[in-house]
Each structure stands twice: as structure tokens, then as C-alpha cells.
Amino acid sequence: MTTTTSVPMSPVNVARQIRYRDAINEALRQEMERDENVIVMGEDIAGAAGREHLGFIDSWGGAFRTTQGLIQQFGNQRVLDTPLSEAAFVGAAIGASSTGMRAVAELMFVDFVGVCLDQLINNAAKMRYMFGGQVKVPFTLLTRIGAGFGSAAQHSESFYSIFSHMPGLKGVVPSDPYTAKGLLIASIRDDDPVVYFEHKGLYGDTGPVPEEPYALPLGKARTVRQGSDVTLVGISRMTWVCVEAAQELAKAGINAQVVDLLSVSPIDYDHIVDSVRRTHRLVVVDEDTPVCSLASDICARVAEEAFDYLDAPPSRVTAPHTPVPYSRPLENTYLPNAARVVKTVQGLFRSGR
Amino acid sequence: MDLDRAGLLSLYRTMVTIRRFEERGIPETGQRRMSASVHSSAGQEAVPTGICAHLTDQDYIASTHRGHGHCIAKGVDPKLMMAELFGRSTGPNKGKGGSMHIADMSKGMLGTNGVVAASVPLAVGAALTSKLKKLGRVAVAFFGDGGSNQGVLHESMNLASVWKLPVIFCCENNGYAESTPVEYALSTANVADRAAGYGMPGFHVDGMDVFAVYEAAGQAVARARAGEGPSLLECRTYRYYGHTVFDNPLTYRTKEEEAYWRARDPLKLFRERVVPEGLVSAQELDGIDRQVEQQMDEAIKFADASPLPDPPQLYEDVYVSYPKDMMKRGANMEV
Ligand SMILES: Cc1ncc(C[n+]2csc(CCOP(=O)(O)OP(=O)(O)O)c2C)c(N)n1
Ligand SMILES: [Mg+2]
């Protein structure tokens, strides 16, 4: 088994290209092969439940095809389609994880978390603490985020911040196939409950991914572009919006460093603070709403820890404080994009800053 | 059967309108605003039609992600619905909601809903309003066989029963929650069996037969209006198409099964019942078909001619009152 510390945060000399979706699938498969205590449950994660006798098996493989092929390999005792009852099966996965299993449950969209939030915040997050350290909860919740698909207010949210707010929960936001695989393996192996946020806009993205299992460290950010003039922090898909903005800014002579957050709990403040101490400016780009957000939290921390290094106010480019609208011109306005990032960064260089 | 000619024709018109809205409106929407979150209720027309025939604009319904049929049966204008699906500002939700959130309070339509079973307690609350204000209104909560396994439904049934509220819990059992067959996910033979656990009558009816639905709904609505409390009405029905436009149902169900249900098509069953009995003529029904087709042409034209919302409308209606510009503050919005 690869140890977490020896794995680089970006792939080195890897020829094989696979999709983000397939990287998730591969991580699940390899962890199920490694440890028979790993089980996966959720709605339609295989599909056509109970219809093997009619020749139907794995008809969905998950709403976004991330669990495809697992039931053929591991059977319906380890790949469990569930009734439409999130409070029950997420709670059951937490219960199983605290009694010897390493359960992975899928919540189809993060928007539905209200249905099972109690299990996450009052059980998964607190059991170890409340019970005086007697129990471990090696539980992983797979869920997905992201707007931009005409799915309106109840299927488009990105509220990872509510999980970061809860002591006892960890959270990761992989941004490409390499981090998708490494962070999922790490989440499953971790002895704490981890919420794993897939971004709907990344499933088709391809990138280099090693074939063998590897775990990336939880709680670590990575720099995906070096720069000296401003630090752009991206979360999930927003990392690539930052890269796009950085390319634009380069044309105007502004050299942006792009940091990919990767973990929403614990947050790698050190990585960001170090970067800002060198660039003297910070813009956090977050698809979540701005009030009490990760973007706000990161700006606050940088203000505390790098105040003397700052040449401009720590700033945010986020969704507005509104639900996600359906109509295209409204949804386009809602989503942070490179143009907004560029404009915000340019503002930091104007007015004598 | 207490239905006169006008009543019969109205049932038929509603069902055809739903069918044609689904079969024309959904592909037209896909060409303009591709979204995975549009669900066809074609095949299930008899259920909302038979139930809403007992309701007035003052009564309430709360609907699901598969809610176009509920809207139409409750009197929401298909032209406005089409505009909503196209994301136009003339839609009842001003283009902000789309298919999964269509609401028309002027028709007692408390919204389609994207979270399974989440709308159920809204109907319970509307029934509470009616009871407290002595309005004599009833509320119908629609949900699917999948939704019947959500905790909130069970809590809602208990609450409505304890408070003797005028609610009809209507389960549209179409056999599937996405690709999950009902026989896998349900611990009882029928959803209606669960009524016993909450001290209310449970009806299990053929949801392809609008008369069967109408009959049972009549009893449940009468019970609610009389102040005797809620009922659970399970209608066994079938969705003709995939869960969404991206789903191929033949990966989890057979062609034979589809053919079985198609042979029991609610529009066909209606004709086979009323025409031979001489209640209405086939020509009259054909005439309605043509009128509905024209109505759909007009709805599409209306929606296409309607404006898209202006970007600043993004910030409207988040609250009734809130400090101006707080929605943008700190977000670095462009508009
Ligand atoms: C709480 C919640 N969980 C999961 C989903 C995803 N989802 C949308 S529709 C659906 C199946 C619903 O089945 P059913 O209630 O039978 O309604 P039908 O689609 O058959 O009309 C699922 C799982 C959701 N929208 N909300
Ligand atoms: Mg169903």
C-alpha cells in the first residue's frame, strides 16, 4: 500500500488518461478489493434492484455512472441499492461504520442533505467525541455539487461550507481525475467521517491517473500554477476558472498563483498563507454563496495571519446570496466565471494598491 | 357515476392536454434549455385528472418532480407552464423555477418539487390553514412509490391523522423510482397497506382508469370535507418514458411490460368506456384532440415570443424584505 506522504500532489510520468468519473469508480473498486469491510450503498447505485433473474443488472450504475460494474464484481451484499430513504441508509451506514464496516453511502445531490443532515451532524460528527473516544466512524459520504446545468434551486447547490462548520467531519473537493482517485481512496481509508464532493461539471474531464491504488493526503491544498502577483484559491471546478483567469491576467502582465483547495475540512491554511506572503494579494473563488462561506473563512484567516503582507483587501468571487435560478441568463450570471475573477484581480491593482 | 357530458369531456380534455404537453413540450424544451431535470408524466394522466376533478381553485395540491400533470389538472395554464420550461419571464415562476418548481398560488398549486416527498408536509400545512380558518378546503399531497419510503411522508400521515386534517395522500405508484422496482423497495405488498399504521383508510385503485380514480378520490375528498380526516389513495399507474429524457427504461424493464401498460392507456380506456355507451361520440373526442394540438402550438409560440428574464432579476424575490444589494455584497458580481 502506498503511504500518503510519498505521493506527489500532481501526477508524475503517468501516461494513462482516464475520466474523473472513471477515477472515482476505480477508487471504489480498488478499495473494495483491498478491504472486504468496504461496502457501498445508495439509490440506483446499481439499479434494477432484484431483477437479475430478468437479465437486468447494474442498469444505472449510479445516477452519474460512478458505481458502474461494482455489483457484478462484489455482489448485492456489498453493493446495496437502497429504498428512497436517505435518513435511514445514511444513518445505517454511519452505524455500520462504527461497528466494524467501512461504509460508503451516496447522497445523489448535496441539495438533499436536509433529509439526512441529522445523522451527519449529530451522529457521524459527534459520536467519537461524545463517547469519549471509544468509537471510530470510518464512513464516507459521496455526494455532488455544482450549478450550470439548468437544474434549478434544488439540484445545483455547492454548500460544502455547512460541513466544514461541523467539528468532527472532514471534507474533500477533488478537481481532476488524479485527485478524484487519490482523495477517494484516502477518504475510505480514513478513520473519520469524510464527505466527498464530486462536481457534476467535471465527470467527463480526462487526466493522467496511475493504475495502482494511491492515497492523497486529506487536509492538503496544492498549487496548480505558479505566480508572484496574486494568489487565486479555487474550490473544486472553480480551480479551473482560476487557471483560465490566470491565463487572461498573464496577458495583462499579472502573474497569478493558483491554489487548488482540495480539502474543505481541514482547510490547508498554511499553504494559502505561505502563498499570500509571497504574492501579497488574495482572491478566493467559490461556487457557494458568500455569507459564512469557505471564501469568507479563508479571507478572515489570511487577514489574521498575513495582514502585514497584504497589499490589497482579501477578496472573494462567489455565487450571490440567492438560490440557484433556472433560466439560462440568470444561471449564467449566478456562476462565478473567469471574467469576474479577472475584473476583481484588476481592481486590486488599481487605486494605488 | 355522477359525471354529466360536460364532466366527461372535461376529464378527457385534461388527460389529452397532459399527454400532449409532455410529448410536445418536453422535446421542445430540450431544444431550448437542455436540462436533466424534466420528467414526463405521460401514462399517468388519469391520476391527477380523476382527483383534481373534485377540487376547486381554492383547494390545494402539492406536487413532485413529475408534476406537469398535476399542474394542468389543477388548472395552471399550459401556455404559462411552457414559458416556465423555456425559462421565460412570463412563466408562473418568472423563469426562475423551471419544470421542478412550477407553482401557481392562484390555482392552489403549491409547487412541483425537486426533493422527493418534500412537498407532502406543505399539503398538510395547507390543510391546517383550512381547518383553523374554517375554509372548508382540502389538500392533496402527491408522491411516488419511491417517495412513499421517505420518513417525512410517514410523519406527515401521522400528523394529519392526529390532527384530523383534510388531506388526501395520493401515491402515484408507477412501479419505479428511477430504475428501482417498487417490489424491491417496498416492505408491504401495496403502499395503501400502510394507511393502517396511521389510522386512516387506504384505497388501492387502477390508476390507468380515470373512473376508478375519480370514484375513490370522491370518497377521500368527501371524508376530508366532512372533517373526518385524511385518507391514503394509491393509484397503480405507469410512466411511458424514461425517468428523464436521458434514461432508457429498457435497461430495467421489459418491452412486454411496457406493452401491457400501453394496452391499458388511460385515453384509450376512456374512449372504450364512453363511446360504446353513447355518452359522448368519437368525433367529439377527436375534436378535443385537435383543439389541444392547436393549444400546444400556441403555447410554444407564446413561450418563444416571451422575453428571458433580465440578469438583475437574479436578486429579486429572495426575501420579502432585506437590505438592498446585500445579495451581491462580497460576491464581486458583474451585474
Ligand atoms: C430526497 C431525494 N432523494 C433522491 C432524489 C433523486 N430522485 C429524483 S426522482 C427519484 C425517484 C422518485 O421515484 P418516485 O417517488 O416513485 O417518483 P417517480 O419518479 O416514479 O414519479 C429520485 C431517487 C431526490 N430528488 N430527492
Ligand atoms: Mg415511481
Side-chain angles (χ1 to χ4, degrees), chain B residues 14-30:
Chain B
T14 301
M15 290 198 292
V16 176
T17 307
I18 298 170
R19 175 68 55 85
R20 297 310 296 154
F21 185 88
E22 302 293 33
E23 294 193 337
R24 291 195 59 195
I26 290 179
E28 294 282 349
T29 300

Side-chain angles (χ1 to χ4, degrees), chain B residues 44 144-146 172-178 239:
Chain B
Q44 305 184 184
D145 47 290
E172 295 179 295
N173 180 350
N174 60 11
Y176 298 91
E178 297 186 338
R239 70 164 148 75

Side-chain angles (χ1 to χ4, degrees), chain A residues 64 109 146-156 200 324-328 331, chain B residues 25-40 65-66 68 84-87 95-101 114 242-247:
Chain A
F64 289 78
F109 291 80
F149 310 97
S151 291
Q154 295 176 336
H155 281 67
S156 305
K200 284 167 256 166
V324 183
Y326 169 71
S327 190
R328 199 193 308 269
E331 193 178 25
Chain B
I26 290 179
E28 294 282 349
T29 300
Q31 289 174 21
R32 292 160 179 81
R33 181 70 177 118
M34 190 33 94
S35 163
S37 307
V38 181
H39 306 83
S40 170
H65 56 288
R66 200 175 301 289
H68 303 158
E84 188 61 38
L85 264 61
F86 288 12
K96 281 183 172 165
S99 168
M100 283 197 302
H101 307 301
H243 175 68
T244 69
V245 290
F246 297 114
D247 170 38

Side-chain angles (χ1 to χ4, degrees), chain A residues 338-351:
Chain A
R340 263 164 71 190
V341 178
V342 168
K343 210 168 142 192
T344 303
V345 170
Q346 284 171 337
L348 301 184
F349 283 88
R350 258 182 243 123
S351 61

Side-chain angles (χ1 to χ4, degrees), chain A:
Chain A
M1 188 169 61
T2 326
T3 62
T4 51
T5 44
S6 69
V7 180
M9 293 297 278
S10 293
V12 184
N13 292 331
V14 178
R16 190 180 68 133
Q17 299 266 331
I18 65 172
R19 292 178 303 179
Y20 184 88
R21 157 185 290 132
D22 301 321
I24 293 168
N25 186 266
E26 185 167 279
L28 288 169
R29 186 156 43 76
Q30 290 179 342
E31 283 307 287
M32 293 186 82
E33 283 167 352
R34 184 187 62 81
D35 180 353
E36 64 177 20
N37 291 319
V38 177
I39 57 174
V40 184
M41 63 176 84
E43 292 153 12
D44 301 275
I45 60 162
R51 292 222 164 148
E52 291 88 346
H53 62 288
L54 295 174
F56 296 126
I57 188 165
D58 204 29
S59 63
W60 271 42
F64 289 78
R65 312 291 178 259
T66 49
T67 43
Q68 213 157 40
L70 297 179
I71 193 163
Q72 288 92 332
Q73 190 176 345
F74 303 105
N76 61 14
Q77 298 299 294
R78 291 182 66 199
V79 180
L80 297 146
D81 270 327
T82 66
L84 216 166
S85 312
E86 287 89 354
F89 78 76
V90 169
I94 294 164
S97 297
S98 52
T99 50
M101 307 305 289
R102 214 167 257 281
V104 179
E106 179 183 276
L107 176 67
M108 206 174 289
F109 291 80
V110 77
D111 311 62
F112 312 154
V113 74
V115 176
C116 55
L117 191 62
D118 188 48
Q119 294 303 319
L120 295 167
I121 67 176
N122 277 314
N123 287 337
K126 297 178 184 168
M127 279 167 80
R128 180 172 177 77
Y129 187 83
M130 295 188 299
F131 297 175
Q134 294 178 74
V135 70
K136 288 178 188 166
V137 187
F139 159 71
T140 305
L141 183 75
L142 302 177
T143 190
R144 41 187 76 93
I145 56 174
F149 310 97
S151 291
Q154 295 176 336
H155 281 67
S156 305
E157 296 276 11
S158 293
F159 40 47
Y160 24 67
S161 59
I162 59 175
F163 302 90
S164 305
H165 190 68
M166 289 308 304
L169 294 181
K170 294 178 180 171
V172 292
V173 278
S175 60
D176 65 4
Y178 177 73
T179 52
K181 178 171 171 178
L183 288 173
L184 181 47
I185 289 178
S187 301
I188 295 171
R189 291 181 190 174
D190 198 79
D191 282 338
D192 287 314
V194 184
V195 186
Y196 179 94
F197 299 92
E198 303 167 18
H199 196 293
K200 284 167 256 166
L202 298 175
Y203 284 122
D205 287 10
T206 56
V209 177
E211 234 153 294
E212 68 278 6
Y214 60 94
L216 292 175
L218 301 179
K220 290 289 175 207
R222 63 172 177 171
T223 289
V224 294
R225 188 185 196 279
Q226 296 293 342
S228 50
D229 301 332
V230 58
T231 299
L232 304 179
V233 176
I235 304 170
S236 185
R237 192 178 77 78
M238 289 300 124
T239 300
W240 310 117
V241 169
C242 290
V243 168
E244 196 189 330
Q247 286 159 357
E248 263 323 291
L249 288 163
K251 294 179 197 160
I254 297 173
N255 203 350
Q257 170 143 9
V258 178
V259 174
D260 180 4
L261 193 65
L262 291 180
S263 276
V264 295
S265 179
I267 296 169
D268 192 354
Y269 296 115
D270 289 342
H271 192 110
I272 298 166
V273 168
D274 283 353
S275 172
V276 174
R277 284 188 174 150
R278 285 180 287 101
T279 63
H280 312 296
R281 291 174 184 84
L282 171 71
V283 176
V284 186
V285 184
D286 188 353
E287 199 179 323
D288 201 352
T289 52
V291 180
C292 294
S293 63
L294 278 181
S296 307
D297 180 83
I298 291 168
C299 287
R301 188 60 65 106
V302 166
E304 282 171 2
E305 298 187 8
F307 186 74
D308 293 337
Y309 295 83
L310 286 167
D311 287 343
S315 300
R316 296 170 286 171
V317 173
T318 68
H321 186 58
T322 75
V324 183
Y326 169 71
S327 190
R328 199 193 308 269
L330 301 186
E331 193 178 25
N332 288 348
T333 309
Y334 177 93
L335 274 174
N337 57 27
R340 263 164 71 190
V341 178
V342 168
K343 210 168 142 192
T344 303
V345 170
Q346 284 171 337
L348 301 184
F349 283 88
R350 258 182 243 123
S351 61
R353 279 164 175 168

Side-chain angles (χ1 to χ4, degrees), chain B residues 196-213:
Chain B
Y198 302 103
M200 66 177 80
F203 302 85
H204 178 88
V205 303
D206 178 358
M208 304 305 267
D209 177 357
V210 72
F211 298 110
V213 176

Side-chain angles (χ1 to χ4, degrees), chain B residues 66-86:
Chain B
R66 200 175 301 289
H68 303 158
H70 307 142
C71 296
I72 289 169
K74 196 66 177 59
V76 183
D77 188 342
K79 179 172 92 183
L80 304 182
M81 291 169 59
M82 196 74 77
E84 188 61 38
L85 264 61
F86 288 12

